[in-house]
Amino acid sequence: MRACTNLSVRFKADIFASSIHQDIMKAFISHSSSEQDVAIALKSVLEDLEIEPFLAHNDIRASQQWSERILSELNSCDIFVGLLSRAFKRSDWCAQETGAAILRRDA
């Protein structure tokens, strides 16, 4: 949790400065399921910074099409946050999300 608090302090000025020209910034949090607690803590920090975070396991309803929603969120996010870990490196989902974020035409 301390790392997330430090993230908040270090990047708050930069994020605020870049968001002056936008209404709401959106962030996509890519993580392995073993890092869910860290992802939830990061989501809270981003919300405190008035950034709209997307965390798949928390933000997708059971009735929604997961792949469509994830692609939609990847295509509309301003910030892509990959929670790097050994589990992240082994995750096919994380690799696909990272690839999709990198290949965006407007990135």
Side-chain angles (χ1 to χ4, degrees):
M1 183 67 155
R2 184 168 177 79
C4 288
T5 302
N6 289 340
L7 172 78
S8 172
V9 171
R10 285 188 307 196
F11 294 109
K12 189 169 187 175
D14 290 338
I15 291 170
F16 177 75
S18 65
S19 68
I20 290 173
H21 302 291
Q22 297 181 2
D23 293 330
I24 296 175
M25 291 188 72
K26 294 175 64 174
F28 185 100
I29 303 171
S30 180
H31 68 292
S32 105
S33 57
S34 64
E35 305 291 336
Q36 183 73 8
D37 290 344
V38 176
I40 291 170
L42 175 60
K43 180 177 178 164
S44 178
V45 169
L46 292 172
E47 289 170 338
D48 289 346
L49 294 170
E50 297 181 6
I51 295 173
E52 183 181 314
F54 174 77
L55 187 57
H57 287 89
N58 288 37
D59 296 327
I60 297 178
R61 295 185 312 272
S63 63
Q64 285 183 301
Q65 293 291 331
W66 278 64
S67 59
E68 290 175 16
R69 176 72 188 279
I70 288 172
L71 283 174
S72 173
E73 294 293 336
L74 279 165
N75 286 326
S76 65
C77 72
D78 301 299
I79 304 166
F80 177 85
V81 181
L83 295 181
L84 303 179
S85 66
R86 287 185 178 98
F88 184 94
K89 282 180 65 175
R90 290 189 303 265
S91 168
D92 290 337
W93 283 107
C94 292
Q96 291 174 24
E97 292 167 354
T98 302
I102 289 170
L103 293 174
R104 280 183 40 181
R105 293 179 190 258
D106 64 338

